[in-house]
């Protein structure tokens, strides 16, 4: 079976049927036992194939190149700004979530510092994957000796492609923030505890005023239905009212009260 001597056609056909049939049967059994179905399996196969092509493209691009000769200097230069850039990006995304969607100042809610790193990793991962994909394409072009025209228009196209990539990553990150806030708002309107967003965890609470007159900004304080309360930081409590009667501008649903004027009780359902 392993020698170079020619075999009869029936032997070769039988070996091919055995090899192809065993692989087909294994795939059929996998498809029967998996809940994703055929479309999910094909999607996973395509993703695996894409990762494999990207890995080989990166190898073709980086092996025996300027990067491989200077990697010990290049990687520290890239990694040095990350401890400073990631917290800034994370704080920006948290501010967009709280201020632009809920109308609550970002410094009024306490968030662990490590969440600022975690929330910034996703757009960073998207940017790195996009960059690695471009490098993999260049590697395959190098492998097949495809020479790119070095001209002014080509350099300008590279700059524009990089700018589009940066703007695309920013747009993806902002869309994720908006979708997470919308999910939290819908859950609050349905009387359910909303999902968290990288350390920003809101509670569905009922407000019980402790006095006859409760000073509140953008009031009055709703006592008949639950509101959202984020983890407060300081003597001021910010609330968010899911009632649609307050209008389409979600920032106007925010309420500010003093912590000593109200009592917050965890709520379940749409009524207090």
């Amino acid at each position: 079976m392993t020698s170079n001597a020619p075999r009869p056609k029936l032997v070769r056909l039988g070996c091919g049927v055995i090899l192809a049939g065993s692989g087909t049967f294994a795939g059929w059994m996998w498809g029967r036992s998996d809940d994703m179905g055929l479309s999910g399996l094909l999607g996973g196969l395509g993703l695996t194939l894409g990762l494999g092509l990207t890995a080989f493209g990166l190898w073709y691009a980086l092996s025996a190149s300027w990067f491989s000769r200077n990697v010990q200097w290049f990687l520290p230069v890239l990694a040095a700004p990350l401890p400073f850039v990631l917290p800034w990006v994370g704080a920006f995304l948290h501010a967009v979530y709280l201020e632009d969607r809920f109308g609550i100042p970002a410094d009024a809610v306490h968030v662990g510092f490590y969440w600022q790193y975690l929330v910034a990793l996703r757009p960073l991962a998207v940017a790195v994957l996009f960059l690695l994909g471009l490098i993999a394409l260049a590697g395959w072009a190098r492998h097949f000796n495809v020479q790119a025209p070095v001209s002014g228009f080509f350099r300008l196209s590279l700059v524009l492609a990089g700018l589009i990539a940066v703007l695309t990553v920013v747009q993806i990150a902002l869309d994720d923030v908006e979708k997470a806030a919308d999910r939290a708002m819908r859950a609050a309107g349905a009387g359910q505890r909303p999902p968290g967003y990288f350390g920003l965890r809101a509670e569905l609470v009922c407000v019980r005023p402790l006095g006859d007159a409760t000073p509140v900004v953008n009031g009055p304080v709703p006592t008949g239905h639950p509101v959202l309360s984020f983890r407060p930081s300081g003597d001021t409590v910010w609330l968010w009212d899911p009632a649609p009667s307050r209008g389409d501008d979600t920032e106007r649903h925010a309420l500010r009260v003093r912590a000593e004027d109200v009592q917050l009780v965890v709520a379940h359902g749409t009524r207090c």
Side-chain angles (χ1 to χ4, degrees):
M1 294 299 296
T2 58
S3 65
N4 293 326
R7 299 295 176 181
K9 291 184 178 180
L10 291 179
V11 174
R12 287 183 284 171
L13 178 61
C15 293
V17 169
I18 292 174
L19 293 175
S22 60
T24 304
F25 181 74
W28 178 76
M29 290 293 293
W30 183 24
R32 292 267 301 180
S33 61
D34 201 290
D35 296 334
M36 292 188 302
L38 182 60
S39 59
L41 295 178
L42 291 178
L45 181 62
L47 179 61
T48 304
L49 181 61
L51 292 177
L53 292 176
T54 302
F56 278 103
L58 291 174
W59 174 259
Y60 293 144
L62 302 179
S63 61
S65 63
W66 174 88
F67 180 84
S68 62
R69 292 190 298 269
N70 300 274
V71 64
Q72 69 274 15
W73 307 104
F74 193 65
L75 288 182
V77 171
L78 287 179
L82 291 182
F84 307 97
V85 175
L86 288 180
W88 181 85
V89 175
F92 172 75
L93 294 178
H94 280 155
V96 172
Y97 182 88
L98 288 172
E99 297 181 3
D100 291 353
R101 300 300 299 166
F102 290 95
I104 299 175
D107 55 359
V109 180
H110 173 72
V111 184
F113 73 95
Y114 50 89
W115 288 111
Q116 295 180 351
Y117 288 88
L118 294 178
V119 72
L121 285 179
R122 183 171 183 179
L124 177 63
V126 173
V128 171
L129 290 177
F130 186 84
L131 177 62
L132 293 180
L134 292 180
I135 296 176
L137 289 178
W140 281 108
R142 177 188 179 188
H143 178 67
F144 290 107
N145 297 319
V146 178
Q147 301 295 330
V150 182
S151 61
F153 178 76
F154 181 72
R155 295 190 182 96
L156 179 61
S157 300
L158 288 180
V159 173
L160 292 178
L163 181 60
I164 292 174
V166 172
L167 295 178
T168 302
V169 172
V170 172
Q171 184 63 35
I172 290 174
L174 295 180
D175 286 343
D176 289 342
V177 173
E178 183 176 357
K179 291 177 181 178
D182 290 341
R183 287 194 297 268
M185 293 176 183
R186 289 195 299 267
Q192 302 172 355
R193 186 186 182 188
Y197 177 74
F198 294 98
L200 295 175
R201 188 74 181 185
E203 291 284 351
L204 198 65
V205 298
C206 289
V207 182
R208 296 178 181 175
L210 300 179
D212 296 334
T214 302
V216 55
V217 176
N218 201 22
V221 177
T223 58
H225 60 270
V227 296
L228 286 183
S229 173
F230 292 89
R231 184 181 303 174
S233 177
D235 298 331
T236 301
V237 176
W238 283 89
L239 307 172
W240 191 83
D241 187 2
S245 58
R246 289 186 176 269
D248 296 332
D249 189 358
T250 57
E251 296 183 27
R252 294 185 177 274
H253 292 223
L255 310 171
R256 187 180 69 179
V257 297
R258 293 183 303 182
E260 64 268 16
D261 292 336
V262 295
Q263 180 184 11
L264 304 180
V265 181
V266 177
H268 302 282
T270 58
R271 302 298 298 176
C272 288

